[in-house]
Each structure stands twice: as structure tokens, then as C-alpha cells.
Amino acid sequence: MKNIVLIGFMGTGKTVVGRRLARRLKREFIDTDAEIEKLMGKTVAQIFARDGVVRFRSEEELLVKKLAKREDLVIATGGGMVLNTENLLLLKENGILVALTASPEIIYNRVRGNNNRPLLMHGDMMEKIRELLHERENAYKAAEITVDTGNSSIVEIVEQITRCLLERNYITY
Ligand code: S3P
């Protein structure tokens, strides 16, 4: 069956929801940031600082090429993954895109204590979140299913996604 690909802004819950969803659907879970960290032996923040954003994006591209050939995965993508049209097309070819959303305030509360989000580390974090969200609004609209993660528990979000997938016959159990 097609992969289920979680897309969306930083702090919308792609990793936690993805891990739970994979367990619920008895599928393998892949987090693209974690895969790249494993591959390069560095954290995302270290990759941005030492190798630069361009290198990180090219690692994302390489990884998507590999993942798009596989099936039955739940994939949590990095927030910038679908800004690259080629990545988006590859992920769509063999996957159902599910966008997770949340308000800027909720995102801010979730990410502010975290120092592994290099794009938000400089300047006013709230302002940066609003600016990037605005820039990326359309990219995340590419998803077939959109779920707001602001006011629901992880279990509720997983159930909501599962229901949508069943209704559309993307999964059969
Ligand atoms: C990024 C999001 C991060 C990570 C990197 C860049 C982005 O992933 O890939 O810091 O451009 O939005 P999360 O969305 O998992 O935080």
C-alpha cells in the first residue's frame, strides 16, 4: 500500500503523531530528519551550522528518492521538505500526503525550548514562525488530508487520520 507522508510546519507534531500512527497501522516509521542525522552522524543543527542549509536540502532530496521507491511506510518529513517541487512529486507518486497544522502561538509554545530548529534560532522566534508559515502556506496545501493538531491529543489525531484514510480506501483495516 502507498506510504503515508506527514508534512507540515515545525512543531505541528509530525514526528510524535507519525510514530503513533505507524504503531497503530503496524507499519514501519521513518523520520527524515532522524535518518539524515544518522547518515551524517550529526544533529540537524550541526549540519546547518557546519555544512549549510544547501547540503541539508540535498540530503533531503537524496533520501526522498530512496523512500519514494518503498511502500507501506509512515514517513514524517522535515518542515521544509515539500518546498522542493521535485520532492513533493516523488512523495505523492507513491504516497498519501497528510498535512498537520497548528496556530503560530501553539507552534511557538512547542518549539521555544528546543535548540534543534536552526531556522528559528536567529532573531524574534515568533516573528520568524509567522513569516515562514506565511511563505509556506501553499506548499502544505498540497496534502489530501489536513488535520489541526492544536487542540487534540495524539491519540485523537491518530484516530482522525486513520478514519480519513479508511473513508478514502487508502487503508483497509
Ligand atoms: C526545517 C524543519 C526541521 C528540519 C530543519 C528544517 C524547515 O524539521 O528539517 O530544521 O525548513 O522547516 P521539523 O519540521 O521536524 O522540525
Side-chain angles (χ1 to χ4, degrees), residues 8-12 14-15 31-33 36 44-45 48 56-57 60 76-81 83 111 116-119 132 136 140:
F9 200 75
M10 294 170 264
T12 52
K14 301 179 296 291
T15 301
D31 179 82
T32 62
D33 285 341
I36 293 170
V44 168
F48 269 71
F56 180 78
R57 297 298 181 209
E60 283 191 316
T77 60
M81 180 69 93
L83 303 178
V111 303
N116 202 25
R117 296 240 168 60
L119 292 181
L132 287 175
R136 294 174 173 191
Y140 301 136

Side-chain angles (χ1 to χ4, degrees), residues 2-86:
K2 283 186 167 192
N3 296 323
I4 296 158
V5 184
L6 301 183
I7 67 169
F9 200 75
M10 294 170 264
T12 52
K14 301 179 296 291
T15 301
V16 271
V17 170
R19 189 173 292 121
R20 260 314 170 91
L21 183 67
R23 211 190 305 158
R24 166 81 168 79
L25 303 179
K26 298 187 175 60
R27 287 180 176 221
E28 186 182 338
F29 174 62
I30 305 251
D31 179 82
T32 62
D33 285 341
E35 284 298 305
I36 293 170
E37 289 187 332
K38 229 190 309 171
L39 211 81
M40 294 190 68
K42 301 174 214 179
T43 64
V44 168
Q46 287 168 341
I47 301 167
F48 269 71
R50 297 178 195 171
D51 307 282
V53 59
V54 174
R55 175 69 195 279
F56 180 78
R57 297 298 181 209
S58 77
E59 290 298 328
E60 283 191 316
E61 269 184 48
L62 284 174
L63 181 59
V64 164
K65 290 199 170 86
K66 286 189 213 153
L67 294 178
K69 291 187 192 130
R70 298 186 54 191
E71 291 189 335
D72 294 324
L73 301 171
V74 171
I75 303 171
T77 60
M81 180 69 93
V82 294
L83 303 178
N84 174 321
T85 315
E86 204 182 326

Side-chain angles (χ1 to χ4, degrees), residues 120-169:
L120 304 178
M121 296 321 287
H122 307 288
D124 183 301
M125 189 181 271
M126 188 68 196
E127 220 170 87
K128 194 75 199 167
I129 290 171
R130 286 188 196 282
E131 183 190 313
L132 287 175
L133 266 175
H134 182 66
E135 266 174 45
R136 294 174 173 191
E137 223 167 34
N138 280 330
Y140 301 136
K141 283 192 185 140
E144 291 172 59
I145 297 167
T146 300
V147 174
D148 183 82
T149 66
N151 296 307
S152 315
S153 69
I154 296 167
V155 173
E156 285 167 346
I157 297 160
V158 166
E159 286 317 306
Q160 196 180 336
I161 296 172
T162 306
R163 251 194 333 270
C164 289
L165 292 168
L166 278 168
E167 275 165 19
R168 292 168 169 77
N169 294 318

